[in-house]
Amino acid sequence: MTRLTQWIWPLTLAACGATESTPTPSPAATAGSAPVFSGVSGGPAPSAPRGAAPVTSAAGSGAITSPSPSGGAGTAAAAPTNPAAAAAAGAPAATPDGTTSGTATTDPAACRGFSFEGLKYSPGGDVLPNKCMPFHPTTNNPYAVRCVDAWPWYKTKYPGDQFCILPPPPDKGVQYGVHPQGKKWFEQVSAGDMSGYDNLSTEWTMEDGEEEQKNYLTSATNPMPANYYRSYARMRPGSHHMIVSSEMSGTMEAWSAGGPGLAALQLPGAQRPDENSPKSMDKPMEDKGLYNRLPANAPVMFNMHHFNASGQTILKEAWTNLWWESDATIELKPIFGLELSQTASLAVQPGQTVDLHYSWNITRPFRWVTAFGHRHAWTTNFSAWLENPDGKLDIIYQSLNWMDEPTYRYDSVTMNPVPAAAQRTDGAASGVVMVKAGQKLHFNCHIEYTDERAAKENAPKPGEIGTLRFANEAFTAEMCILFGSTTDVQLIGPSKNTTPLPEFATLD
């Protein structure tokens, strides 16, 4: 491990463990009780009452079909994220103490949608763990029931217990993960045996100020090849990324040196402690047929970049639930937006402001399903947009906080926040994004390698670092990569673009 010195950004655990970005009610339940929510940051807004219809608006030569909170029968838009708006939409409103208005909360068991007694697996289906609260993909989800809600004994001395999730039933899906107990994690912990978290070696823990990138090799336990649609990835706070691939590299159930397996079959990963696909309980109608594949007994390699600025000892641990899908006719394609010369040629000098601008010329139509941009501390603005033949620009993705990099999904149910770079607000398009031939897909990383940026982030001054190059270190290196998924067309290897940038891509 390398040691980050006094310039580490003094994150709180809440910041280092920030969940999906839209402020929503999140849990404050005691272990073993029905999930109850308090007013801290949560994930994308939970689904509103069913019955909201999508509306369609032209986006140049492409089209974006947007969720709408009003209308007749159809898929549901995301719920409002404040108590008054939630009440207006018909959802129980969260009060400051975590209860809900108009709901009996003196007996938490009365809010349970199903019994937690003897529960070992997330049941799936359409019954919420807490029927007194709206669906939330991280905190109130039958496909990813939290260990702290179902297992009263699930308590460790490390931050992030709330991200542990129960696996799917073995006939409905699979869970794989990173645990100090190895493959014995579920057998032991589901039976109440927490001894595997005691007396851990330093390969499993990180002290305040440490940074490392390592791989962990495990495997899935599905005896036959399978297709999946739903995926729910979790990791304890402290990892800047979790890149997961089906690659056999290293010693099974052990940490080893190495980088991400970007050339192998990609599996669901995360840039935050929680990542969910889809973001809704109901499957959006346009997702019919979508799937990813998992080989039989697939090797699973986690590439994790940890840096600990929490002030506490942290534990390196992760969970992923995959749910099998029978309606599998359209395999999702990954976006790998790395211009390869960047790995050797990136060389930003102290005091410089630089834009890494890339693009693809689109020759075949496809649906853009998810997007997330990856970069480090010196990039103040990661933007992706579509350029139409008439010159009109449509912002599809924008992230301004490198410590909380969102993954956005584009469907008729998920309502993403509106981009507002001038107000320092992350955002994205909402609705189904169809990309058409003749458009250009751009993305840009706006890098400010200046003393002013260093002071703002409590980072080392550029003069102390020297030339900024492509590498994994969060404060002393940079990179600019667009990831995501599409249908029909796989996007790899973008080209450098030297055309003038729109103002929204350089606002900081």
Side-chain angles (χ1 to χ4, degrees), residues 225-247:
N227 300 319
Y228 66 93
Y229 166 72
R230 294 181 180 273
S231 64
Y232 304 96
R234 304 286 187 267
M235 57 181 172
R236 289 180 182 268
S239 184
H240 182 55
H241 72 235
M242 181 171 76
I243 300 173
V244 189
S245 58
S246 183
E247 179 172 342

Side-chain angles (χ1 to χ4, degrees), residues 81-379:
T81 58
N82 62 74
T95 60
D97 65 357
T99 63
T100 55
S101 59
T103 305
T105 55
T106 54
D107 178 12
C111 286
R112 291 180 186 170
F114 45 81
S115 174
F116 292 164
E117 185 70 29
L119 189 68
K120 296 180 67 174
Y121 301 102
S122 295
D126 60 1
V127 178
L128 295 174
N130 182 348
K131 63 185 180 182
C132 299
M133 293 297 293
F135 170 82
H136 188 287
T138 299
T139 60
N140 196 24
N141 185 350
Y143 294 93
V145 174
R146 302 185 315 159
C147 301
V148 295
D149 296 323
W151 296 340
W153 57 85
Y154 193 80
K155 298 182 180 72
T156 74
K157 63 181 180 180
Y158 303 103
D161 285 358
Q162 71 271 28
F163 295 110
C164 170
I165 53 176
L166 276 59
D171 61 332
K172 295 182 179 180
V174 70
Q175 183 183 96
Y176 50 79
V178 176
H179 309 290
Q181 303 92 334
K183 286 290 186 64
K184 295 181 179 179
W185 176 83
F186 178 70
E187 175 188 349
Q188 294 178 3
V189 174
S190 67
D193 179 1
M194 297 290 287
S195 62
Y197 288 108
D198 298 335
N199 304 314
L200 296 180
S201 70
T202 55
E203 72 172 348
W204 282 99
T205 60
M206 292 185 66
E207 298 304 318
D208 183 48
E210 290 182 328
E211 179 177 17
E212 70 171 26
Q213 179 196 211
K214 283 190 175 181
N215 291 341
Y216 185 88
L217 183 64
T218 184
S219 63
T221 55
N222 53 306
M224 299 292 291
N227 300 319
Y228 66 93
Y229 166 72
R230 294 181 180 273
S231 64
Y232 304 96
R234 304 286 187 267
M235 57 181 172
R236 289 180 182 268
S239 184
H240 182 55
H241 72 235
M242 181 171 76
I243 300 173
V244 189
S245 58
S246 183
E247 179 172 342
M248 180 67 74
S249 177
T251 303
M252 194 65 72
E253 306 302 331
W255 291 100
S256 62
L262 296 176
L265 176 68
Q266 296 299 294
L267 299 174
Q271 297 188 118
R272 292 168 162 169
D274 56 327
E275 189 53 62
N276 304 285
S277 184
K279 311 286 188 186
S280 55
M281 186 165 66
D282 295 332
K283 183 177 184 178
M285 57 186 177
E286 65 277 3
D287 283 6
K288 179 176 174 56
L290 295 188
Y291 76 98
N292 291 283
R293 57 188 172 87
L294 184 71
N297 299 309
V300 179
M301 187 180 76
F302 287 79
N303 172 260
M304 302 184 78
H305 175 195
H306 283 91
F307 59 95
N308 183 6
S310 69
Q312 302 184 43
T313 302
I314 64 172
L315 170 63
K316 299 183 293 184
E317 189 172 26
W319 303 258
T320 300
N321 282 3
L322 304 182
W323 287 78
W324 303 146
E325 179 59 57
S326 58
D327 176 22
T329 58
I330 305 170
E331 184 175 4
L332 287 167
K333 310 292 186 184
I335 297 174
F336 182 47
L338 171 63
E339 196 279 316
L340 291 179
S341 71
Q342 182 190 140
T343 62
S345 65
L346 183 64
V348 184
Q349 300 306 313
Q352 282 189 313
T353 295
V354 173
D355 287 287
L356 303 181
H357 180 193
Y358 307 106
S359 64
W360 289 276
N361 292 321
I362 305 304
T363 59
R364 293 172 51 202
F366 60 88
R367 178 184 164 201
W368 193 348
V369 181
T370 62
F372 66 92
H374 188 77
R375 84 290 198 182
H376 294 160
W378 302 99
T379 296

